[in-house]
Amino acid sequence: MTTDKEQRKSLALVRTQTLERAQGNAVPIEFRTLSIHVTETQRSGKQGGGFFNKDSKGKAKKEDDITSESDYFATVDFHKLTPAELALRFNTNEDDGLAQNEAQRRLQANGPNSLAARKPNYFKKIFWYVFGGFCSILWVGVLTFFLCWQPPLSNPPNVTNLALALLVMFVIFLQASFSAFQDYSTAKVMSSIMDMIPSECTVFRDGQLVKISAANLVIGDRVHLSLGNKVPADLRMIQVSNDARFDRAILTGESEAIEASTVSTDENFLESKNIAFMGTHIIQGSAVGIVVLKGNDTLMGRINKLTSGRKEKVSIITQEITRFVRIIVGLTVLLALLILIVWAAKINIKYPDFMPPAVLLVTLMGCVVAFIPEGMPVCVSLTLLMVARRMRANNILPKALTTVETLGCVNVICSDKTGTLTENKMFVTNVAFLDQETTPEEAKAKIENSKPKSLPQPEDSPSVLALRQLQLATLLCNNAIFDQETIALPIPERRVLGDATDSALLRFASQLSDTSILATCFNRTMEIPFNSRNKWMMAVYEGSAKQPQVIKTLFGNDITNAAATKSEKDNMLVFVKGAPDVLLPHCTSFLAAGSNTPQPLSDEWISELSRIQMAWSRRGQRVLMLCKSRYNPYMAQYDAKGSGSSASASQEELARQGLQELCILGLVGIMDPPRPEIKDTIASCRRAGARFFMVTGDFGLTAAAIARQIGLFSTNREPHTYDDIMDPKKNKEDSSVSLEDSLGEFEAGCPRFHEGTSLVLTGSDLAKMSPGEWDLVCAYEEIVFARTSPEQKLKIVTEFQAREAVVAVTGDGVNDAPALKAADVGIAVVSGSDVAMEAADLILLAGFDSIPVAMRLGRIVFQNLQKVIGYLLPAGSWSELWPVLINTFLGTPLPLSSFLMIIICCFTDAFPGTALVMEQEEFDLLSIPPRNAKKAHLITGRIYLQSYFFIGNLMTFFSEMFFFLYMKEYTGLGFTDLIFTFGNDNITPLLEKAGRGMDIDTFNNVHVNTGQCITFITLVILQWGNVLSIRNRRLSILQADPIRAKRRNLWLFAGMLASLLMAIMVTEVPGIQDVMLTRSVPIKYWLLPLPCALAILLADEMRKLMLRTYPNSVFGYLAW
């Protein structure tokens, strides 16, 4: 007999000391830490904060948060109060609950019962919207244009500079608005997710049972819980049914439910069974509790605060865009400094009138405007928005748009098992007596061949009577029931109220034969529910008054019934179910199916039982054993009176009697079937280059069996274990390939093992591993991590990330939140906990097969962003920069104004660029490995080569050619005439020599401005050829045109039309002409760029042809 002190020992400490003791012993990092801290605080006598202590809020360090929270829970004593004391403390009625007006007053005074989301810093957000990225350097342009608007730099005032300042401000706010819209979309998604979570509960108000929103719960409310309800706040139980049990798995990670109690079972508030925590579920029975903590004060609320207090991780696409911005801004500053140096060293000295300070500043800002592709942030936002919309159409909700692309880089997926890889719907798949194995179908056929609709009769065959005993054991030693709303449906389709194991046994019993009459022949008198300490369930029955013969026919004449007068010789029937290794020590006999008689349990039969158990476990089945015995209530009553003990002593006597000389009725194998789509999903992920691992709390043998069934283990070869990691040269006797043979050319952290080389590790193995051993582990292709705790799951994630892996993690419980938060992509299911969804980056609304779809769309994001940027750079950066350089270094008139540069970047390029967002994949993106985020950047040297030196130079040549061609035609001065003129003083004599009677004002204000508009129109039209070219990286436009169905994208033509209309408006509207100094363009120069656009398309077609023909040549090496 254990001492009271030992019985009251904190379960948290037991779990920490014995990680592998029982299934589901894992608890989340925060919960475990808090629980241990609370226990240690209570034992050491330290005083925590007061009852309403709020000091933990706003702590900078997580250690301080945990200390403060543990101090708080160490002082909570709700679990120690009697119901009367509880009602007195919270001023509530123990029977009738709160009055409605009092509840309303408390709600108004203390706020709703909800978890507070992280409050955004709007000032910081708006600041980064307006001053982040390219906007920081554009603000320098705004200030410069304002300075150059009025004296002393411009006398008289230059209205064009004012207009440019306002236009650049408009561009800045346009970019900021798109960034804000991204955040708005994220908030909207989160709002829609939270709306999906059921939020009603049943409470007593003024003595009446009413349904209210869980958000309207207040401290002191009397809440009624029934089977299947989600606990809406932290409740102190005051009434529980005999079979009431709570599933804390979503909070603690424990798969086994705990029985509810109305008395304190532990000094630690977090461990006491008379407390129901917010977010857990009641899976059996019913209960009534008083709300003692709500909202952020609950355990879930405090863990949520610890989790959400961590620093936001920066997505890969955000890092890529930041890198691109830094490169462009750095090059821009270098170019501006170069121009400034040339101006100071030469131009200002030799040609002071060509570029006075005001013109210099405008020129420098022209360089800034020219080189920065201002439209890129807008196009990036639109790309992410469009792909996010596609994801939602595939039942995937991305919380943050920037996370979408990260999926394309994922090369490791860590998935839990239950409910993700499996359906979380358990079914009995195998049945066995020790002398005979069968299946549910064969058992059903055998019963149907007798008299399935009649009650068992003595003349039935022994094998049928044995099956009837096993059927009754699964039916009666069970607390699950069918939902009456679905009772008319076929048995497999009925909804069951109860836990998964009981549900499986209930369906099995009901499928063998109709149990509606059979169940009424038995009356349950007592039970001991399953609990994590005993790991078995016991139910006691007597025959019913109406059908007393059935129990005697099957189980013996000494079994009493409800109508009989009880005597000391009468026994009741006891059914016990549990794990074989738990019940086997209490067993002395087994039921032989052939004779329907008990037989002694010899060593040979124990070996046969072990063989069956191992064989089923290797197939991924959970094995349960069902037994029967006798219980003499007369003797129990006598013993209880003799000992003077209470009713709890009767329970102990029942357990003592019921476990004596158990007779094994049979074994059942229960399978949680894999999702039908999961095998293809794993294959698709692997084909895409992502390694797929299982992280589960199951035993290694069962987990490995399931891994083989779902294709996670690709061969039947025995997997490696920790022993192989310790000694790579070790040859396993049952393995055809040793670790050394599989290793090949090894590189730490990289998968170098032959396909089919698998590994199974347990939580205890992980605790012993060194960094060098982790290097070996991270090189495996197929891994099952079994018996792992959440902190070990987090360890797995960080170890793979440390070896350059991009990790996705799936989870649904509060215990998964740390790993979800730490992963590069956290994936939660919509049926999971609020905290898991808060920590995750993606929410799955449907099956797990959405993951490959999300990976494909993530890769499309990267592909299309590269195309968008590759489209924007030639005209929006390179071809705009050269006019500034030609003007500065060659002294010609400026071929393109700053205003027209901005129009190209933000408007005419933006329309076709947005159309590129709609592009489908050029080839099967899941057939290639994921990109290495540290090496394969969004913008690479090859893209700069393609955009600047190939397409960009062609565009620069054609646009500058038409500018100087127009100048030669209308002014008589061509490129060779205007080069090195450096201002009006040198141009005036040339105009006089040309003999066209043109003065310098007409030259500058009419023809130079018209020539700038021609350069602008040329770039707009040349971009049409570029956009048709850039949409295909390898394929010809003849193979993948934008018209045929496979790669159809008619938005391209809409984008071209929109850019044409914008160009017409800019050059033809009188108001714009007056302010921004634009002019109408002769029709000839609208038509001349068209064949040049075709030439750009054909030039890139020739490049692609050479690439396809000679992929290993220089064309392949330089291809983007």
Side-chain angles (χ1 to χ4, degrees):
M1 182 71 71
T2 58
T3 65
D4 290 343
K5 182 177 181 180
E6 290 171 334
Q7 290 175 343
R8 296 170 72 87
K9 184 177 183 180
S10 168
L11 294 179
L13 293 177
V14 175
R15 293 190 191 101
T16 303
Q17 294 164 356
T18 56
L19 286 172
E20 291 196 324
R21 246 181 72 183
Q23 184 178 7
N25 63 350
V27 292
I29 296 170
E30 285 81 2
F31 179 87
R32 177 177 292 171
T33 306
L34 282 174
S35 183
I36 294 174
H37 274 240
V38 168
T39 302
E40 291 176 347
T41 299
Q42 290 173 333
R43 287 179 176 177
S44 63
K46 294 179 181 178
Q47 296 299 315
F51 177 74
F52 291 105
N53 179 22
K54 303 293 183 182
D55 290 342
S56 64
K57 293 186 177 181
K59 293 287 186 182
K61 296 181 180 179
K62 183 180 176 182
E63 291 80 0
D64 294 337
D65 285 338
I66 293 176
T67 300
S68 184
E69 299 295 359
S70 62
D71 286 347
Y72 171 80
F73 282 116
T75 61
V76 170
D77 61 351
F78 304 130
H79 56 306
K80 301 176 184 178
L81 301 178
T82 65
E85 292 172 335
L86 204 65
L88 183 63
R89 175 174 292 190
F90 292 111
N91 194 23
T92 185
N93 189 294
E94 188 178 341
D95 298 317
D96 297 337
L98 292 173
Q100 183 62 38
N101 56 355
E102 173 61 17
Q104 192 63 33
R105 186 192 68 79
R106 295 187 185 188
L107 179 64
Q108 292 176 353
N110 301 317
N113 171 46
S114 59
L115 298 181
R118 179 183 298 178
K119 293 183 179 180
N121 187 330
Y122 289 108
F123 176 80
K124 184 178 180 181
K125 279 182 173 290
I126 294 173
F127 178 85
W128 285 112
Y129 291 157
V130 178
F131 295 100
F134 290 138
C135 295
S136 57
I137 199 166
L138 289 179
W139 275 112
V140 177
V142 171
L143 295 175
T144 302
F145 287 132
F146 271 124
L147 288 173
C148 297
W149 163 38
Q150 286 188 327
L153 294 180
S154 292
N155 194 7
N158 190 327
V159 179
T160 302
N161 287 339
L162 173 61
L164 283 173
L166 296 176
L167 180 61
V168 175
M169 287 181 64
F170 172 77
V171 170
I172 290 172
F173 288 116
L174 180 67
Q175 293 185 10
S177 64
F178 271 90
S179 299
F181 186 70
Q182 282 191 25
D183 282 355
Y184 167 75
S185 298
T186 299
K188 189 175 180 182
V189 168
M190 277 309 301
S191 177
S192 66
I193 291 169
M194 299 313 293
D195 288 343
M196 297 175 190
I197 301 172
S199 57
E200 284 191 335
C201 60
T202 306
V203 300
F204 290 88
R205 293 276 174 88
D206 293 319
Q208 301 294 319
L209 203 59
V210 296
K211 272 192 174 183
I212 65 169
S213 169
N216 293 333
L217 273 182
V218 297
I219 299 295
D221 257 326
R222 187 170 184 259
V223 180
H224 180 269
L225 299 173
S226 56
L227 191 147
N229 286 165
K230 183 177 180 179
V231 180
D234 286 357
L235 309 179
R236 160 66 159 85
M237 297 292 98
I238 59 173
Q239 295 177 18
V240 296
S241 63
N242 188 46
D243 59 343
R245 294 163 69 194
F246 286 92
D247 179 8
R248 289 187 179 180
I250 203 166
L251 184 66
T252 67
E254 294 185 355
S255 59
E256 305 296 351
I258 66 163
E259 65 272 22
S261 172
T262 57
V263 296
S264 175
T265 61
D266 199 290
E267 287 292 323
N268 189 338
F269 173 81
L270 302 180
E271 302 288 354
S272 184
K273 295 180 181 179
N274 65 345
I275 300 296
F277 294 110
M278 181 183 190
T280 60
H281 291 79
I282 180 168
I283 61 168
Q284 208 164 287
S286 60
V288 176
I290 300 294
V291 176
V292 295
L293 294 171
K294 69 179 185 65
N296 294 322
D297 292 328
T298 62
L299 174 61
M300 179 178 281
R302 292 172 182 273
I303 291 178
N304 180 50
K305 182 173 64 175
L306 292 174
T307 303
S308 63
R310 291 173 179 162
K311 185 179 180 181
E312 290 276 356
K313 58 178 178 277
V314 180
S315 68
I316 292 176
I317 191 63
T318 302
Q319 296 174 28
E320 288 291 327
I321 293 173
T322 301
R323 174 179 174 271
F324 175 64
V325 168
R326 287 173 179 169
I327 291 173
I328 292 295
V329 170
L331 291 175
T332 302
V333 172
L334 286 176
L335 283 170
L337 288 174
L338 178 62
I339 292 173
L340 184 61
I341 292 170
V342 172
W343 177 84
K346 178 182 177 181
I347 297 175
N348 189 45
I349 297 172
K350 195 171 182 179
Y351 308 104
D353 295 332
F354 173 65
M355 192 176 288
V359 177
L360 170 67
L361 291 175
V362 172
T363 301
L364 291 175
M365 289 307 103
C367 176
V368 169
V369 170
F371 204 67
I372 291 178
E374 292 90 347
M376 195 204 77
V378 175
C379 289
V380 168
S381 296
L382 290 174
T383 302
L384 295 175
L385 284 169
M386 295 307 300
V387 173
R389 180 170 294 182
R390 290 191 199 178
M391 283 193 165
R392 290 167 196 166
N394 286 280
N395 294 314
I396 308 162
L397 288 183
K399 284 171 51 182
L401 298 179
T402 51
T403 308
V404 171
E405 191 276 331
T406 307
L407 276 167
C409 303
V410 167
N411 50 30
V412 170
I413 300 175
C414 296
S415 174
D416 61 349
K417 178 181 71 69
T418 304
T420 304
L421 302 180
T422 63
E423 295 182 354
N424 199 22
K425 297 177 181 177
M426 293 187 179
F427 297 93
V428 174
T429 56
N430 287 82
V431 183
F433 300 95
L434 292 196
D435 59 343
Q436 178 183 319
E437 285 190 62
T438 184
T439 65
E441 293 75 18
E442 293 171 350
K444 178 181 179 181
K446 187 172 290 188
I447 292 178
E448 286 179 345
N449 289 336
S450 58
K451 298 176 182 178
K453 295 186 178 180
S454 66
L455 296 173
Q457 303 296 326
E459 60 270 18
D460 289 343
S461 67
S463 61
V464 170
L465 290 175
L467 277 173
R468 287 289 197 173
Q469 290 194 54
L470 184 60
Q471 177 190 23
L472 281 167
T474 58
L475 175 68
L476 301 178
C477 193
N478 196 325
N479 283 319
I481 59 172
F482 287 118
D483 186 348
Q484 292 303 307
E485 294 182 0
T486 61
I487 199 67
L489 297 175
I491 292 172
E493 299 177 19
R494 295 178 190 173
R495 188 157 65 94
V496 179
L497 304 178
D499 66 30
T501 302
D502 279 358
S503 299
L505 295 178
L506 176 63
R507 291 184 196 276
F508 165 72
S510 302
Q511 286 175 324
L512 291 184
S513 67
D514 183 9
T515 58
S516 56
I517 300 176
L518 190 62
T520 61
C521 300
F522 297 81
N523 293 338
R524 181 182 291 190
T525 59
M526 299 179 69
E527 75 163 300
I528 299 178
F530 182 94
N531 61 66
S532 56
R533 185 186 71 236
N534 296 333
K535 295 194 176 299
W536 47 257
M537 175 185 176
M538 182 180 292
V540 182
Y541 283 88
E542 63 181 5
S544 67
K546 293 183 180 180
Q547 299 285 353
Q549 78 282 2
V550 175
I551 198 169
K552 295 180 182 294
T553 298
L554 290 173
F555 298 102
N557 292 323
D558 62 329
I559 305 298
T560 186
N561 62 77
T565 303
K566 305 296 187 294
S567 71
E568 62 184 61
K569 296 182 179 180
D570 290 327
N571 292 314
M572 290 186 178
L573 176 65
V574 175
F575 288 119
V576 186
K577 71 176 180 189
D581 50 339
V582 173
L583 295 181
L584 188 60
H586 304 283
C587 298
T588 58
S589 62
F590 70 94
L591 180 68
S595 60
N596 191 38
T597 57
Q599 301 293 327
L601 187 63
S602 64
D603 291 341
E604 293 179 357
W605 288 114
I606 291 176
S607 298
E608 176 64 12
L609 187 152
S610 178
R611 183 196 66 79
I612 295 172
Q613 181 184 9
M614 293 294 290
W616 288 2
S617 295
R618 288 182 183 276
R619 282 181 265 172
Q621 299 177 33
R622 180 185 179 191
V623 183
L624 283 181
M625 189 160 72
L626 295 115
C627 306
K628 67 176 181 178
S629 69
R630 297 288 195 272
Y631 170 68
N632 190 309
Y634 181 85
M635 292 299 296
Q637 184 181 14
Y638 174 81
D639 291 342
K641 287 180 179 178
S643 61
S645 60
S646 62
S648 61
S650 297
Q651 290 268 319
E652 292 183 8
E653 178 61 22
L654 169 60
R656 186 188 66 80
Q657 277 198 45
L659 290 177
Q660 284 182 353
E661 300 182 350
L662 288 178
C663 176
I664 300 173
L665 292 176
L667 303 172
V668 292
I670 300 176
M671 172 67 78
D672 184 3
R675 291 182 179 272
E677 74 276 7
I678 197 63
K679 199 165 188 176
D680 291 337
T681 299
I682 293 175
S684 296
C685 292
R686 283 184 172 159
R687 188 168 65 89
R691 291 182 284 168
F692 201 102
F693 304 148
M694 182 194 298
V695 185
T696 179
D698 273 350
F699 289 102
L701 196 63
T702 303
I706 294 172
R708 290 190 182 94
Q709 292 177 14
I710 63 178
L712 197 152
F713 283 176
S714 56
T715 69
N716 290 324
R717 184 188 305 150
E718 283 297 311
H720 289 166
T721 63
Y722 180 69
D723 291 338
D724 297 283
I725 301 297
M726 288 288 291
D727 184 6
K729 295 184 179 180
K730 173 178 175 288
N731 283 303
K732 296 182 66 170
E733 294 179 0
D734 56 350
S735 176
S736 59
V737 181
S738 70
L739 179 62
E740 187 178 39
D741 295 333
S742 300
L743 186 56
E745 186 179 346
F746 176 68
E747 180 181 344
C750 297
R752 283 290 185 272
F753 289 94
H754 298 309
E755 184 179 355
T757 305
S758 51
L759 174 67
V760 174
L761 293 175
T762 64
S764 60
D765 296 335
L766 299 181
K768 298 180 289 187
M769 283 170 52
S770 66
E773 291 165 351
W774 270 109
D775 287 339
L776 283 172
V777 168
C778 292
Y780 275 84
E781 292 279 359
E782 304 170 357
I783 309 178
V784 167
F785 296 98
R787 306 291 292 140
T788 52
S789 67
E791 59 189 349
Q792 290 168 338
K793 189 173 186 178
L794 178 61
K795 174 77 170 174
I796 293 167
V797 172
T798 56
E799 289 292 345
F800 275 95
Q801 287 175 328
R803 290 159 180 82
E804 298 189 359
V806 180
V807 183
V809 171
T810 67
D812 59 359
V814 173
N815 57 308
D816 295 317
L820 288 169
K821 199 84 171 176
D824 296 284
V825 182
I827 304 171
V829 292
V830 72
S831 58
S833 69
D834 306 1
V835 176
M837 287 191 286
E838 173 68 24
D841 303 299
L842 293 179
I843 311 296
L844 298 184
L845 301 181
F848 195 69
D849 55 346
S850 300
I851 296 295
V853 177
M855 292 175 66
R856 184 186 301 274
L857 291 173
R859 295 184 182 187
I860 287 178
V861 168
F862 188 80
Q863 169 190 277
N864 286 352
L865 280 179
Q866 282 193 320
K867 292 178 179 179
V868 167
I869 294 172
Y871 165 76
L872 293 175
L873 290 180
S877 180
W878 189 252
S879 297
E880 290 182 352
L881 174 65
W882 276 103
V884 178
L885 298 180
I886 290 172
N887 169 249
T888 302
F889 293 97
L890 299 183
T892 70
L894 182 65
L896 188 65
S897 69
S898 297
F899 166 70
L900 294 175
M901 293 177 187
I902 295 173
I903 295 300
I904 290 174
C905 287
C906 297
F907 297 99
T908 60
D909 271 4
F911 299 125
T914 303
L916 281 174
V917 172
M918 307 302 295
E919 283 294 323
Q920 300 296 325
E921 57 186 344
E922 185 176 346
F923 46 86
D924 184 6
L925 292 176
L926 292 186
S927 64
I928 59 175
R931 71 182 182 91
N932 187 325
K934 294 187 177 181
K935 296 178 181 178
H937 295 291
L938 181 65
I939 304 298
T940 64
R942 291 183 174 91
I943 292 180
Y944 284 123
L945 183 68
Q946 167 79 9
S947 298
Y948 284 168
F949 297 103
F950 181 38
I951 301 297
N953 280 341
L954 286 174
M955 286 190 174
T956 300
F957 172 77
F958 286 129
S959 60
E960 301 304 313
M961 179 184 73
F962 286 127
F963 172 79
F964 289 108
L965 183 65
Y966 168 81
M967 297 300 292
K968 182 68 174 179
E969 179 180 355
Y970 282 85
T971 68
L973 302 180
F975 176 73
T976 56
D977 301 310
L978 295 173
I979 190 172
F980 301 126
T981 53
F982 288 102
N984 295 338
D985 291 343
N986 293 325
I987 294 176
T988 301
L990 295 175
L991 289 175
E992 293 174 355
K993 185 178 179 179
R996 300 201 180 187
M998 186 181 300
D999 59 26
I1000 192 65
D1001 290 337
T1002 303
F1003 177 85
N1004 287 327
N1005 298 331
V1006 176
H1007 295 295
V1008 171
N1009 290 348
T1010 303
Q1012 290 175 344
C1013 290
I1014 289 173
T1015 305
F1016 165 70
I1017 294 299
T1018 302
L1019 289 174
V1020 169
I1021 295 175
L1022 291 179
Q1023 280 288 69
W1024 298 352
N1026 184 27
V1027 77
L1028 291 174
S1029 169
I1030 201 74
R1031 61 185 297 271
N1032 294 318
R1033 298 178 61 176
R1034 299 288 189 276
L1035 298 178
S1036 167
I1037 192 172
L1038 300 178
Q1039 297 172 304
D1041 60 79
I1043 298 175
R1044 285 181 291 183
K1046 186 175 181 180
R1047 291 286 308 282
R1048 180 176 295 161
N1049 187 2
L1050 300 180
W1051 290 104
L1052 287 174
F1053 302 105
M1056 294 178 193
L1057 178 61
S1059 67
L1060 177 62
L1061 294 176
M1062 174 60 70
I1064 293 172
M1065 183 181 74
V1066 167
T1067 57
E1068 299 298 331
V1069 173
I1072 296 177
Q1073 289 180 341
D1074 295 338
V1075 176
M1076 306 311 301
L1077 305 180
T1078 60
R1079 292 291 181 267
S1080 298
V1081 175
I1083 190 64
K1084 171 183 176 180
Y1085 289 95
W1086 285 94
L1087 300 176
L1088 284 175
L1090 291 173
C1092 298
L1094 179 61
I1096 286 177
L1097 176 61
L1098 292 177
D1100 201 49
E1101 285 291 302
M1102 289 299 297
R1103 180 193 66 84
K1104 294 173 188 174
L1105 177 62
M1106 297 300 292
L1107 173 61
R1108 294 193 300 272
T1109 307
Y1110 306 105
N1112 297 323
S1113 67
V1114 66
F1115 293 98
Y1117 177 76
L1118 296 178
W1120 64 285

